[in-house]
Amino acid sequence: MSLHILKERYEIVRQLAKKTGIKTLLARDLKTDELVVVKLLTFNSEVSWEELKLFEREVNTLRNLSFSAIPSYIDFFEVALPDKKGLALVQTYIEADSLEQQVENRGIFNEEEVKQLAKSVLKILVYLQERNPSVIHRNIKPSNILLTNRSGNNIGDVFLIDFGTVQTLASTEEESSTIVGTYGYMAPEQFAGRAAAASDLYGLGATLIYLLTGKSPLYLSQEEEIIELEQIKNCSGEFSEWLNKLLEPSQNKRFKSAAKALKSLENLSSTTLSNYSQSFSKKVLITKSANAIEILTPCQKNVDSSMAHFLVTSYVGIFYGIFSTPLVASLENIFQSIVLSYGFIHPYSLAGLSILVASLYLYVNIWLKIIINILFISFGKNKLKIDDKRVYFTYKLLGLEYRYRPSIPRHAIIKLDSNQGKIAEVVIWLGIHKYGFGKGFLNSNQAAWLSRELSNWLGAKTNY
């Protein structure tokens, strides 16, 4: 048997990774013509008894797992070469980038993306922890989580790999001295050779920090082993509190299980949306489809005067359209009375009639302006619509719409901001120009949330 083809079935394509005594190889299964991963442990002086035990445990664990987000066990066999012997584990190959590669290639994640990813990983951990006995991964980190099919609207498909440090709760009572994991992502209790379900939650929390910052937690400020999340700018207060509970140095203060952490995160999301709903969903309405997104917000005080003129003129026209017939009839009766009384049109009566008509017009015009200003404050809406091709800006009031600036091509959008200065607002940069909305009724968290909603739909990078 040569190293080029193992078991006369697995043709080696290339090496994926290597560490002491273990090579991870990409191979082609000649039986199925599919790519697979072969983890090859060769017996030599570098391989310890502990590493052999971990390898066998990985084989036994994968053999008994069946979950779409975890590599599937395919084969296990001994390797006998002229100069050495070893063991080979064959598992399915997942063609995807790790979170580490994603950050390097595309930059940091925003909070909404991190929440989606956290839910996906927690579902995997729930499956592992509900096994009998429970399975602890012990090495949750960015390079061991793969992501594929990521788009602007969706985080994509998430996979957890590398079960080389796996442990079951049944074995934790027998072993208390093995230290495995990666610095920065290891829970404090793992340094003492102990691990529990909450240990994987710590690793997940540290991974999420990396996604938000692009830095290993080792390089972030810490106070008594607690990572100071205040330094993470693109993270809301509610989510920071949830992360803090994952990253508690004491495992007794963390969530007891992935299921509880997942439930808390889902409640956090719904609570946050509920709070937003109570505070401003009546003010902000988002309508999304595959082809368009519309955001309705209250009109701001500095409404374009041309728009007000347009609506006043429209409503005056409507008024006269409705009341013109009875009004003209009344004026004709007055005119006839004057003729019958005087036998001619008295100059003063004609002047009075003209003044009456002009006063009536001005009266209606002025009161309509006053009413419309009140309606703007109470019911007016600023409408932003983006479809596949263009961006539209309109005002809406009582069924009428006025486009107050020309539409522009969608590709003119270069970035989004959630301005968190003295007055929070969402800003869309259109080339060298910017368009802001939400000023005066959004707080900084709401502006950041609304910006993320728009950014996720557009698939654009958001600047927080």
Side-chain angles (χ1 to χ4, degrees), residues 331-363:
L331 292 176
E332 285 180 351
N333 290 334
I334 294 171
F335 182 78
Q336 290 173 2
S337 298
I338 293 172
V339 172
L340 290 174
S341 299
Y342 295 97
F344 62 92
I345 301 175
H346 196 280
Y348 294 111
S349 298
L350 184 59
L353 185 61
S354 300
I355 292 171
L356 175 64
V357 173
S359 298
L360 183 62
Y361 179 85
L362 291 174
Y363 179 83

Side-chain angles (χ1 to χ4, degrees), residues 246-381:
L246 291 186
L247 294 165
E248 279 285 352
S250 170
Q251 70 178 74
N252 293 327
K253 293 183 180 180
R254 281 179 235 139
F255 294 105
K256 302 301 181 186
S257 66
K260 290 185 178 180
L262 178 60
K263 184 178 180 180
S264 175
L265 179 57
E266 289 173 339
N267 288 340
L268 170 66
S269 299
S270 61
T271 299
T272 302
L273 291 175
S274 175
N275 290 338
Y276 285 148
S277 177
Q278 292 174 14
S279 63
F280 79 107
S281 70
K282 291 182 180 179
K283 299 178 182 177
V284 178
L285 177 63
I286 300 177
T287 304
K288 291 188 287 186
S289 69
N291 300 318
I293 183 169
E294 289 185 6
I295 300 178
L296 287 176
T297 63
C299 282
Q300 295 166 308
K301 293 180 180 179
N302 56 341
V303 174
D304 193 323
S305 60
S306 63
M307 180 270 295
H309 175 75
F310 166 79
L311 287 174
V312 167
T313 304
S314 300
Y315 283 112
V316 168
I318 293 171
F319 177 86
Y320 281 107
I322 296 174
F323 298 106
S324 60
T325 301
L327 181 64
V328 170
S330 299
L331 292 176
E332 285 180 351
N333 290 334
I334 294 171
F335 182 78
Q336 290 173 2
S337 298
I338 293 172
V339 172
L340 290 174
S341 299
Y342 295 97
F344 62 92
I345 301 175
H346 196 280
Y348 294 111
S349 298
L350 184 59
L353 185 61
S354 300
I355 292 171
L356 175 64
V357 173
S359 298
L360 183 62
Y361 179 85
L362 291 174
Y363 179 83
V364 171
N365 200 299
I366 291 169
W367 273 103
L368 274 176
K369 284 185 178 179
I370 294 172
I371 292 170
I372 286 174
N373 282 331
I374 295 172
L375 290 175
F376 272 132
I377 296 173
S378 304
F379 305 107
K381 291 292 183 181

Side-chain angles (χ1 to χ4, degrees), residues 176-188:
S176 59
S177 59
T178 305
I179 300 176
V180 294
T182 302
Y183 287 102
Y185 301 94
M186 288 171 60

